């Protein structure tokens, strides 16, 4: 689902290398935890994989067709994200002006799935993340744990091949974090997607199939 | 429309109800003003043209005298009638007569009923059903329904028509059923009109219809070469052009003002959309991360602009129609401009102009959304997702030289544009110079903000003031957005106040010069009765001095409005005693050469200079005259020529005064008015004291600027809306920063004060720049737009108390708007904002 080879990126201002020659693969159904000290470049690596920042060298192949996101222009990168990548963020990033169901429907709309074909899929996902009956609720009425479960549903709704999660439990208490993580990992496995999870939490990392540590010398 | 786009638009309208409604209202206001002005002008022009057509018919050519006192000799009419290319010729006498019971002189048209039947069917009379013969040939007069109504007369009544000292008592023999309800005129057989009022062996004009196989343009060219110099050949198109030219500059000026209101509306859309983009930058970044392409992020903001603009413009069309109705009721069909004197104006909304204004409103709104849309497209997704929209403070202050040079270049461009001449009679370069001056004002705002408040940063200030200063200095883009609307609206308001103030002061002084006598007598359009003039010449009257003046018209260019010819009793060697000259007088090289003094508009329109000789179409011929000087005239926009009564008589003219200037003997003012009263009553003359004329003139002046004041007020309101919207959005955008300050020890009052102070500082910058731009634009309006559009020159007069009063009022309103934003800041749930749960 993800195949990174020879990836290099320099600091935008300092010009010194942040990382270089990175090699990384995530298989279908596999969950990989990415850990490392603050400032080492974990988020930058995630951004490069998502095509939100451009890499200086290397290739990042995503999905069953192994499309190299590095060589794409901005519009094509956006289209690839809409088809192949699901995101979960530490700060949830739920659109406050849309209902729960509308938030979850956004990736489907971006893929051009007609509105009529969506309710069944959205209801199934709400069930899967334990939010049955929440479809018409506004985000402002939800707790942090509930918001993150909405984010998980949104990340999975369009059946992406890769889930990128940046500190998905960072804003949650331990009990809620555990519950949310369980939902995320279960659903990722169920959909046979690959997941790369950036985390500082050893508990989160331990529940993934593999743990990679990013250091100034590269991935270990 | 895409579902997601629709959801986002709906969310935008739901969550930013006030800002989007205000933007919509601003666009509606701009469209409404423009559309109302269009509707009123179109209706007034159509009424005017309809009235012209019903009288004039649809001839291929009209032959008239260039001088309104002149006429077309019957020999010329007969020669034209013999031309095989001519199908028919209708000789017409068009004159004015006074009728007992009518408050103003009436138009009397003398025509040959047989030849006029096909060309001017609307003037065909309907005779009294009881008449046994054809009363038109027996000297009967036919009245339009409006005249019958006004005189409360019935067919069969006897009436006395009077023109100067000549009278004609006759019978109302029928009516003119095809004329409109507001058209006031009389029709009689041309032979009877000639017999009673002249001219002998001539007619006022000849209307020609050509055979179908004749090329009218070629025929007119050929005939024009053969016509005597005192005669003029006109085409129907010339008449339309003349009617259109009559109010063109006034219409364009009002439309430019409406466009300004629309542009201010576009600016409000800009402020709303920019703050909306900034406010939702995290959301847009998320959508970008989820796969919304940059193009669709751009389109989304543009669509939101359209979603404001289209309903706004639709509302504007409805509002415009209502405004047009209200304006025509209150100010008449010419919006107080004084160009048309048609009665009630009927508004006819046509689909094409309505669509045009709808598109204009939508485009203005779209234009306002372009830059925010561009910013939205350019947002760095990863950064915006975590940090939201932030204008990064500059690491080091920008070198002031570069923006200063840029502003200087723009100032030079504005200066250059203001020196360009008018284009097709319109001050387009002047308007462009005004636009550049506004751009300078808006472009200077962030630079001045950073510079002035950057300098203040070194001052020892309490925490609240320091925070406010730093915020304004370090977020110049937001300051620019907030101040921009205020700069534009205040600059335009100040400039209009300056221009109107300059004009009013100039008119006030000019009235002193042109009204030297204490008392005036007017007969409107007909010559004063001979017995009155004879009585005034006697030594036993209460008048020490009497000076007469007669008005006629000249056609110098058939496509332009006529020029007024003023014949008056004045000293050829000392004309400055009666006319307010703008420069030195020229002395004619030859004492026998007639001297004329031209008005300022005439010099501007026709490029005639004092000291030169020119040929004027006078008294049916072409007369060489010497231009002795240029005098200031604010009442005849299309020019006037003054000639002394002695010179006019020497040229063979008959001086018949319409107006008199009267100097009563000392202490006999009341006696003078009593002496005049019986004549005024009998002949329907107007007697007015100088103070009355002055008061009336200034009242007309103020009325003609009523629409301008309304537009100014609208622009000012829109500017204040813009400031309020931006400040309120600014508080929302900086919620986290304000919450952090709260956590660090700022209490709610301090936060409120800081936000109020920021608003006040931005308003002060906006008003200072607006004032500077306003003075510059006022100078362009006074010295460039006014002379080029209306041919009036005047010295610049800045009414400082009014301008500064308006600034103080605006500042107070701006502080009130800031205070509202500050209250919003003090209500922020600080703990929740700091937690940043979403």
């Amino acid at each position: 689902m993800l195949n990174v080879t020879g990836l290099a990126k320099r600091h935008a201002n300092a010009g010194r290398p942040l990382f270089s020659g990175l090699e990384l693969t995530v298989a279908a159904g596999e969950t990989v935890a990415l850990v490392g000290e603050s400032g080492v470049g974990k988020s930058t690596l995630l951004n490069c994989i998502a095509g939100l920042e451009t890499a200086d060298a290397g290739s990042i192949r995503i999905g069953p067709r192994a499309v190299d996101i590095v060589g794409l222009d901005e519009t094509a990168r956006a289209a690839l994200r809409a088809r192949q990548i699901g995101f979960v963020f530490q700060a949830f990033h739920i659109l406050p002006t849309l209902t729960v169901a509308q938030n979850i429907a956004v990736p489907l709309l971006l893929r051009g799935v007609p509105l009529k074909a969506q309710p069944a899929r959205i209801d199934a996902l709400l069930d899967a993340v334990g939010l049955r009956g929440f479809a018409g609720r506004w985000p402002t009425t939800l707790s942090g744990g509930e918001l993150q479960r909405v984010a998980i549903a949104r990340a999975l709704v369009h059946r992406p091949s890769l889930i990128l999660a940046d500190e998905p439990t960072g804003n949650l208490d331990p009990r809620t974090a555990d519950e949310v993580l369980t939902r995320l990992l279960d659903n990722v496995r169920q959909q046979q997607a690959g997941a790369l999870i950036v985390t500082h939490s050893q508990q989160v990392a331990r529940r993934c199939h593999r743990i990679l540590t990013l250091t100034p010398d590269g991935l270990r | 429309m895409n579902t997601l786009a629709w959801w986002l638009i709906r969310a935008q309208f739901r969550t930013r109800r006030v800002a989007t409604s205000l933007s919509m209202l601003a666009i509606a206001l701009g469209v409404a003003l423009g559309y109302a002005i269009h509707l009123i002008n179109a209706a007034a022009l159509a009424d005017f043209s309809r009235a012209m057509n019903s009288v004039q018919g649809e001839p291929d050519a009209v032959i008239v005298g260039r001088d309104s006192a002149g006429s077309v000799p019957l020999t010329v009419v007969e020669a034209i009638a013999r031309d095989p290319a001519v199908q028919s010729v209708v000789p017409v006498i068009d004159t004015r007569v006074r009728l007992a019971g009518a408050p103003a002189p009436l138009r009397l048209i003398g025509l040959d009923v047989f030849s006029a039947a096909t060309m001017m069917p609307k003037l065909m009379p309907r005779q009294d059903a009881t008449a046994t013969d054809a009363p038109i040939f027996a000297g009967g007069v036919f009245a339009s329904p409006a005249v019958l109504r006004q005189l409360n007369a019935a067919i069969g009544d006897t009436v006395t028509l009077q023109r100067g000292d000549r009278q004609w008592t006759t019978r109302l023999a029928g009516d003119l059923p095809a004329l409109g309800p507001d058209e006031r005129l009389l029709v009689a057989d041309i032979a009877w009109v000639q017999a009673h009022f002249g001219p002998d062996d001539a007619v006022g004009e000849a209307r020609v219809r050509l055979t179908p196989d004749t090329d009218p343009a070629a025929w007119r060219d050929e005939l024009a070469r053969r016509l005597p110099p005192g005669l003029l050949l006109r085409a129907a198109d010339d008449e339309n052009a003349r009617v259109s030219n009559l109010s063109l500059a006034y219409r364009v000026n009002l439309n430019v003002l409406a466009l300004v209101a629309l542009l201010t509306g576009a600016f409000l859309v800009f402020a709303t959309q920019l703050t909306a983009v900034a406010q939702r930058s995290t959301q847009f970044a998320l959508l970008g991360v989820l796969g919304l392409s940059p193009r669709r992020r751009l389109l989304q903001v543009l669509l939101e602009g359209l979603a404001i603009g289209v309903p706004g413009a639709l509302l504007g069309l409805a509002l415009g129609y209502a405004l047009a109705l209200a304006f025509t009721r209150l100010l008449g069909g010419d919006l107080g401009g004084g160009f048309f004197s048609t009665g009630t104006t009927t508004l006819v909304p046509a689909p094409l102009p309505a669509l045009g204004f709808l598109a204009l409103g939508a485009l203005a709104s779209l234009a306002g959304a372009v830059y925010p849309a561009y910013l939205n497209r350019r947002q760095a997704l990863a950064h915006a997702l975590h940090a939201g929209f932030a204008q990064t403070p500059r690491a080091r202050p920008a070198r002031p030289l570069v923006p200063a040079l840029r502003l200087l270049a723009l100032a030079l461009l504005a200066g250059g544009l203001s020196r360009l001449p008018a284009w097709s009679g319109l001050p387009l370069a002047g308007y462009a110079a005004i636009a550049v001056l506004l751009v300078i004002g808006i472009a200077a705002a962030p630079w001045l903000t950073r510079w002035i408040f950057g300098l203040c940063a070194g001052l020892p200030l309490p925490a609240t003031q320091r925070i406010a200063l730093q915020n304004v200095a370090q977020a110049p883009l937001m300051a620019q957005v907030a101040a921009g609307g205020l700069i534009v609206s205040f600059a335009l308001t100040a400039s209009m106040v300056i221009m109107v103030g300059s004009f009013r002061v100039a008119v006030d002084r000019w009235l002193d010069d042109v009204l030297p006598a204490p008392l005036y007598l007017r007969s409107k359009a007909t010559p004063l009765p001979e017995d009155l003039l004879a009585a005034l010449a006697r030594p036993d009257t209460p008048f020490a001095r009497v000076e007469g003046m007669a008005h006629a018209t000249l056609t110098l260019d058939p496509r332009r409005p006529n020029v007024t010819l003023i014949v008056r009793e004045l000293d050829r060697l000392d004309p400055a005693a009666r006319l307010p000259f703008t420069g030195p007088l020229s002395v004619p090289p030859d004492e026998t050469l007639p001297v004329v003094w031209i008005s300022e508009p005439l010099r501007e329109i026709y490029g005639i200079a004092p000291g030169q000789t020119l040929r004027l179409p006078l008294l049916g011929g072409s007369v060489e005259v010497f231009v002795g000087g240029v005098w200031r005239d604010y009442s005849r926009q299309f020019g006037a020529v003054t000639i002394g009564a002695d010179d006019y008589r020497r040229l063979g003219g008959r001086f018949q005064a319409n107006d008199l200037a009267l100097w009563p003997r000392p202490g006999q003012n009341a006696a003078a008015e009593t002496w005049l009263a019986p004549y005024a009553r009998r002949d329907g003359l107007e007697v007015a004291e100088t103070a009355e004329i002055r008061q009336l003139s200034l009242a007309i002046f103020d009325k003609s600027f009523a629409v301008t004041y309304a537009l100014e007020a609208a622009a000012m309101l829109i500017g204040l809306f813009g400031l309020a919207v931006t400040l309120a959005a600014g508080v929302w955008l900086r919620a986290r920063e304000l919450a952090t300050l709260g956590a660090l020890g700022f209490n709610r009052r301090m936060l409120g004060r800081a936000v109020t102070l920021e608003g006040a500082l931005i308003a002060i910058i906006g008003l200072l720049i607006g004032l500077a731009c306003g003075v510059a634009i006022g100078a362009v309006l006074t010295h460039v737009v006014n002379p080029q559009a209306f041919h009036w020159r005047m010295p610049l007069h800045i009414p400082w108390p009014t301008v500064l009063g308006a600034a103080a009022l605006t500042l107070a309103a701006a502080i009130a708007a800031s205070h509202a934003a500050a209250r919003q800041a003090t209500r922020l749930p600080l703990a929740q904002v700091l937690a940043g749960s979403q």
Side-chain angles (χ1 to χ4, degrees), chain B residues 413-476:
Chain B
L413 176 65
L417 284 169
S418 64
R419 287 180 180 276
L420 290 178
W423 188 76
S424 291
L426 295 173
L428 297 185
Y431 291 134
I434 291 172
V436 173
L437 284 170
L438 290 175
V439 170
I440 292 175
I442 293 170
W447 178 63
L448 273 177
T449 307
R450 201 182 299 129
W451 182 59
I452 294 175
F453 296 123
L455 284 180
C456 296
L459 298 174
L461 291 169
T464 309
Q465 283 82 339
R466 175 165 295 282
I467 287 290
L469 267 179
Q470 279 176 354
N471 271 328
V472 177
Q474 288 177 5

Side-chain angles (χ1 to χ4, degrees), chain A:
Chain A
M1 288 300 119
L2 173 69
N3 188 7
V4 177
T5 51
L7 194 70
K9 175 78 180 168
R10 287 174 177 276
H11 275 290
N13 293 327
R16 65 183 167 78
L18 191 60
F19 47 73
S20 63
L22 278 192
E23 306 284 332
L24 165 68
T25 53
V26 178
E30 185 186 23
T31 52
V32 176
L34 181 64
V35 299
E37 291 175 3
S38 295
V40 79
K42 299 186 297 297
S43 293
T44 306
L45 175 58
L46 216 59
N47 286 341
C48 287
I49 292 170
L52 302 176
E53 288 188 45
T54 49
D56 297 328
S59 75
I60 303 165
R61 296 187 181 279
I62 297 168
R65 289 188 188 172
V67 178
D68 186 359
I69 200 167
V70 176
L72 301 178
D73 66 16
E74 215 182 331
T75 304
R77 289 202 300 267
L80 184 66
R81 283 198 297 271
R83 283 195 313 274
Q84 300 294 347
I85 307 177
F87 293 89
V88 182
F89 306 96
Q90 179 179 2
F92 320 138
H93 289 309
I94 300 300
L95 298 172
T97 53
L98 302 186
T99 62
V100 165
Q102 286 174 333
N103 263 285
I104 297 171
V106 168
L108 293 176
L109 291 172
L110 291 173
R111 288 194 65 173
V113 178
L115 210 54
K116 282 181 190 165
Q118 295 177 4
R121 175 74 183 144
I122 291 169
D123 286 347
L125 270 166
L126 282 172
D127 268 358
V129 297
L131 292 177
R132 181 196 283 261
F134 276 62
R137 297 266 297 265
W138 293 100
T140 42
T141 63
L142 269 55
S143 69
E146 288 165 340
L147 286 168
Q148 196 60 308
R149 280 187 278 162
V150 174
I152 291 169
R154 184 181 63 193
L156 294 162
V157 72
H158 55 307
R159 295 194 174 85
S161 52
L162 179 65
I163 301 290
L164 298 176
D166 191 358
E167 296 283 4
T169 57
N171 276 0
L172 303 174
D173 63 80
R175 202 172 63 84
T176 312
D178 187 57
E179 189 198 334
V180 163
L181 188 66
T182 304
R183 304 264 183 197
L184 176 65
L185 297 178
D186 286 354
N187 281 287
V188 165
R189 277 178 206 127
Q190 218 171 348
Q191 286 200 13
Q192 281 297 293
L196 182 62
I197 301 170
V198 170
T199 183
H200 283 291
S201 160
Q202 285 303 311
Q203 285 97 320
V204 172
R206 272 200 295 273
R207 292 185 61 182
C208 295
H209 293 120
R210 278 197 289 147
I211 301 174
L212 294 173
T213 307
L214 185 61
T215 68
D217 300 327
L219 271 175
R220 281 190 285 121

Side-chain angles (χ1 to χ4, degrees), chain B residues 62-227:
Chain B
V62 181
I63 294 118
V64 293
R66 283 181 183 272
D67 169 5
S68 63
S71 51
V72 184
L74 281 176
T75 50
V76 173
V77 179
E78 283 157 9
I80 291 169
R82 283 196 298 271
D83 188 330
V86 172
Q87 192 177 59
S88 58
V89 181
V90 181
V92 175
I93 291 176
D94 189 345
T95 187
R96 282 182 177 270
V97 292
R98 192 173 291 287
L99 204 63
L106 286 171
R107 205 167 166 190
L108 169 66
I109 296 179
L111 45 76
D112 168 16
V113 71
F114 293 116
S115 57
T118 52
M119 210 183 302
M120 299 182 300
K122 287 198 168 177
L123 291 187
M124 281 305 96
R126 178 171 65 183
Q127 69 181 50
D128 179 4
T130 58
T132 50
D133 55 351
I136 191 158
F137 303 120
V141 171
F142 295 80
S144 67
V147 171
L148 288 174
R149 209 171 41 246
Q150 187 186 28
L151 297 178
N152 200 16
I155 293 167
D157 288 358
T158 300
V159 288
T160 300
L161 314 182
Q162 191 177 349
R163 178 168 169 78
D165 50 349
R166 301 170 82 167
Q167 283 194 347
W168 178 23
T169 300
T170 181
R171 193 169 71 91
L172 278 177
D175 63 354
L176 303 162
L179 286 182
D182 295 320
E183 289 171 283
R184 296 172 57 247
L185 54 88
L186 302 168
V187 165
D189 183 72
I190 191 165
W192 285 92
V193 177
Q194 266 179 316
H196 287 96
F197 302 124
D200 303 326
D201 303 326
V203 293
E205 56 193 67
R207 294 168 193 182
V208 179
R209 180 162 289 172
L210 301 170
T211 52
D213 53 345
T214 306
D215 173 9
W219 185 85
R220 283 195 297 261
D221 285 349
E222 202 272 324
L223 180 70
R225 276 193 290 276
R226 286 189 283 128
L227 276 181

Side-chain angles (χ1 to χ4, degrees), chain B residues 7 204 229 317 321 361 398 421 447 453 474 495 506 521-522 539 620 643 648 756:
Chain B
W7 284 355
L317 290 181
Y321 186 76
W447 178 63
F453 296 123
Q474 288 177 5
S495 64
L521 181 79
R522 278 184 68 195
I643 187 168
Y648 190 71
T756 307

